[in-house]
Amino acid sequence: MAEQGKLSSWLSAHPVWTFVLLTSSFLGFGILSVDLAKVILANAEYISSNGWAGLIDGGLQQLFEIIRNAIAAMMFYLVFKLCEHVLVEKLANQNLKSRQD
């Protein structure tokens, strides 16, 4: 088995806080994902209807904001997956231990 990192070890030792973090990151990812879909469509429509002038007038800035939000959404997703992995592993190990007893 691979050596666990400090964060993974801490999460494994605190399952309630891991679940809280999992839930929070799930909500953050969901909110940013829905917002991203709306903003991407609006930005694409604005740039396509206004062309280069639309890009200069704020479309480019909005594109950078979309990229920033996409990175934040991916960070929330990675935190979610880490917490999910830790909790599933912990539950699986508890299940194995209870079957061995």
Side-chain angles (χ1 to χ4, degrees):
M1 180 184 225
E3 185 179 324
Q4 286 187 328
K6 290 180 182 180
L7 178 59
S8 186
S9 295
W10 187 89
L11 291 171
S12 184
H14 300 90
V16 172
W17 285 111
T18 303
F19 188 76
V20 169
L21 185 58
L22 176 116
T23 304
S24 300
S25 61
F26 178 78
L27 290 172
F29 175 72
I31 290 167
L32 283 175
S33 296
V34 170
D35 188 45
L36 273 173
K38 290 180 197 175
V39 174
I40 286 171
L41 290 174
N43 192 34
E45 183 180 333
Y46 179 74
I47 291 172
S48 68
S49 64
N50 294 305
W52 183 253
L55 207 58
I56 300 299
D57 270 352
L60 189 60
Q61 179 183 350
Q62 190 175 39
L63 182 61
F64 288 134
E65 291 171 3
I66 290 168
I67 292 168
R68 182 199 65 211
N69 285 348
I71 291 169
M74 287 287 59
M75 294 302 291
F76 278 121
Y77 179 73
L78 288 174
V79 170
F80 171 81
K81 291 302 286 182
L82 174 64
C83 292
E84 175 193 36
H85 177 76
V86 168
L87 288 175
V88 167
E89 189 174 295
K90 188 166 185 70
L91 289 172
N93 287 339
Q94 285 179 350
N95 193 20
L96 285 175
K97 287 178 185 176
S98 67
R99 285 186 181 179
Q100 290 174 353
D101 293 339

